[in-house]
Amino acid sequence: MRILAGGTVVGLDGQVLGAVENIRRRMDETLVSGTVSPAMLDQWEESTVGFGRQYMNTPPLRLLCDVLLEFSAVRKAMEHRQPVDLQERLCRMAAQLAGLSGMIMINLGDQRMARSFFRTGRIAADDTGDRALRAWVIAREALVPLYYGDPREALNLARKSRDLAGQTPCAAQAMAPVVEARALAMMSNTGKKDVVDQAKRALARARAAFSQMGAAEQEDAAFGYTERQLYFHQGDALVKLGQPMEADLILEQALTKYGPSDWLDPTFIKFDRAKCKLLEGDVGEALTIAKAALASLGEGCKPDILMQRAHEVARDVEVKDPNNPELKLYLEMLRAVAVADPIEGEV
């Protein structure tokens, strides 16, 4: 810099060469210190996939702790400059872990934090340039308004995800039209013909897209989309469309595809089946199914989003048959859960 300022032409003496070498050495240090070993990345990717497998059968708060520890490690690695291929892998893991954290936050009933994680997931996914991953994050984000009472926003996000996925066979290509169908079903007032037709066309698109997905994605319940999820979500849409016989048949098939350690989706399905029985006028059977579903939940497995479904069944029964003797027992079970797990609604 002194040479440039003075305009003096000098030879490469020891002082100049020392300054040049110092600059080069600092770059080496930056490059070496910023490199994460491929073996470490492999380990983090394996952990991320493992968290996806645990999503269906691990209490959400426990899983969240594990996911966030890994998320923090990935973040620290991203603070340093990395080679392009390693940086892309880190961004992919960051998007997946942020999306998974958002999914868990939905289950825990904190929609604000869920949205924040999905926003982080979008930023990370954008840096990968992977349209399928970006579409997956948005499809998962659409579940926030779907479960928390804004079907129109869920519909908009689902269509955005579908457009982003395009013609690429991927999880979002099947998942997005299912969310679209469920949102339309919530807006149909159980029978509006044009909306019912739109929802059924969306379900048909989802089935067609699912058949084009790769086998690995069809077996991944968190980062992919499985056949059992497809059955469950189709049945859920049909319940909301006011078609209980068709819905119950599909939901019954869905239940057979879950393992004994899976509890989250199967419990949702049981509450949906209870609603089917209510739509058919069989209040007693609806309460029997709902009570069995509630009784099967273990400690830490009663997230807010699931308890909302349990309370929906109670409200629907109160409208249809407020004096049903089994209703009182069911309401007592709900109160007992609230006392035993007070934190679930406050996370």
Side-chain angles (χ1 to χ4, degrees), residues 192-316:
K192 200 173 178 182
K193 188 177 185 307
D194 59 332
V195 180
V196 171
D197 290 343
Q198 286 182 60
K200 289 208 162 186
R201 285 195 295 271
L203 289 176
R205 287 197 302 273
R207 289 191 293 269
F210 179 81
S211 68
Q212 299 300 313
M213 283 170 53
E217 283 194 303
Q218 288 182 348
E219 296 172 0
D220 191 332
F223 305 119
Y225 197 57
T226 63
E227 185 180 33
R228 59 192 186 179
Q229 288 173 302
L230 179 62
Y231 277 125
F232 160 34
H233 296 150
Q234 285 184 101
D236 183 69
L238 291 168
V239 171
K240 291 179 172 65
L241 289 170
Q243 302 187 9
M245 291 184 66
E246 186 179 355
D248 197 33
L249 182 64
I250 291 175
L251 291 168
E252 195 172 10
Q253 287 180 297
L255 274 179
T256 65
K257 297 181 180 296
Y258 286 88
S261 63
D262 298 321
W263 61 271
L264 185 60
D265 280 4
T267 310
F268 273 118
I269 291 169
K270 289 167 188 174
F271 285 130
D272 268 343
R273 291 198 69 205
K275 288 191 172 188
C276 286
K277 300 305 178 184
L278 282 173
L279 288 170
E280 293 172 350
D282 193 342
V283 177
E285 181 63 15
L287 284 169
T288 297
I289 292 172
K291 285 189 295 182
L294 203 54
S296 68
L297 295 174
E299 185 179 352
C301 296
K302 304 178 184 74
D304 181 76
I305 193 171
L306 204 53
M307 298 315 298
Q308 286 184 27
R309 292 294 184 94
H311 283 281
E312 283 175 16
V313 173
R315 287 193 295 270
D316 290 346

Side-chain angles (χ1 to χ4, degrees), residues 11-323:
L12 289 175
D13 61 15
Q15 187 179 5
V16 173
L17 287 172
V20 170
E21 172 61 15
N22 188 46
I23 291 171
R24 187 203 63 77
R25 188 171 61 251
R26 286 185 178 180
M27 177 58 77
D28 274 355
E29 290 171 357
T30 299
L31 292 172
V32 172
S33 67
T35 300
V36 177
S37 72
M40 180 61 72
L41 279 178
D42 289 344
Q43 182 180 330
W44 285 343
E45 285 170 343
E46 288 171 9
S47 295
T48 301
V49 171
F51 294 144
R53 284 195 296 266
Q54 294 173 51
Y55 174 67
M56 287 291 178
N57 51 40
T58 303
L61 203 52
R62 186 190 309 165
L63 180 59
L64 180 66
C65 293
D66 291 338
V67 171
L68 289 182
L69 284 173
E70 207 75 9
F71 189 63
S72 179
V74 171
R75 180 196 61 78
K76 287 178 182 176
M78 293 179 73
E79 288 179 343
H80 302 284
R81 178 196 175 279
Q82 305 293 347
V84 173
D85 58 332
L86 299 187
Q87 184 70 17
E88 185 175 331
R89 288 172 68 183
L90 286 167
C91 285
R92 171 175 292 278
M93 279 186 287
Q96 290 177 320
L97 291 169
L100 185 56
S101 298
M103 291 156 61
I104 297 169
M105 283 298 177
I106 292 175
N107 295 340
L108 290 171
D110 194 329
Q111 56 175 310
R112 184 192 62 80
M113 190 60 73
R115 286 179 182 276
S116 296
F117 270 113
F118 286 124
R119 184 168 61 246
T120 300
R122 281 209 217 187
I123 295 169
D126 285 346
D127 284 348
T128 68
D130 186 335
R131 291 173 66 93
L133 179 62
R134 293 162 65 196
W136 173 81
V137 174
I138 296 171
R140 284 294 184 180
E141 183 181 356
L143 296 178
V144 179
L146 184 76
Y147 283 125
Y148 290 99
D150 192 349
R152 196 165 297 280
E153 185 191 357
L155 181 62
N156 291 336
L157 284 171
R159 287 174 173 170
K160 184 174 182 179
S161 172
R162 185 190 68 192
D163 292 343
L164 192 57
Q167 298 304 309
T168 305
C170 62
Q173 196 183 40
M175 192 187 312
V178 170
V179 175
E180 185 180 344
R182 296 169 78 186
L184 286 166
M186 291 172 69
M187 297 159 59
S188 71
N189 296 320
T190 63
K192 200 173 178 182
K193 188 177 185 307
D194 59 332
V195 180
V196 171
D197 290 343
Q198 286 182 60
K200 289 208 162 186
R201 285 195 295 271
L203 289 176
R205 287 197 302 273
R207 289 191 293 269
F210 179 81
S211 68
Q212 299 300 313
M213 283 170 53
E217 283 194 303
Q218 288 182 348
E219 296 172 0
D220 191 332
F223 305 119
Y225 197 57
T226 63
E227 185 180 33
R228 59 192 186 179
Q229 288 173 302
L230 179 62
Y231 277 125
F232 160 34
H233 296 150
Q234 285 184 101
D236 183 69
L238 291 168
V239 171
K240 291 179 172 65
L241 289 170
Q243 302 187 9
M245 291 184 66
E246 186 179 355
D248 197 33
L249 182 64
I250 291 175
L251 291 168
E252 195 172 10
Q253 287 180 297
L255 274 179
T256 65
K257 297 181 180 296
Y258 286 88
S261 63
D262 298 321
W263 61 271
L264 185 60
D265 280 4
T267 310
F268 273 118
I269 291 169
K270 289 167 188 174
F271 285 130
D272 268 343
R273 291 198 69 205
K275 288 191 172 188
C276 286
K277 300 305 178 184
L278 282 173
L279 288 170
E280 293 172 350
D282 193 342
V283 177
E285 181 63 15
L287 284 169
T288 297
I289 292 172
K291 285 189 295 182
L294 203 54
S296 68
L297 295 174
E299 185 179 352
C301 296
K302 304 178 184 74
D304 181 76
I305 193 171
L306 204 53
M307 298 315 298
Q308 286 184 27
R309 292 294 184 94
H311 283 281
E312 283 175 16
V313 173
R315 287 193 295 270
D316 290 346
V317 171
E318 285 173 331
V319 170
K320 277 188 173 292
D321 189 3
N323 298 316

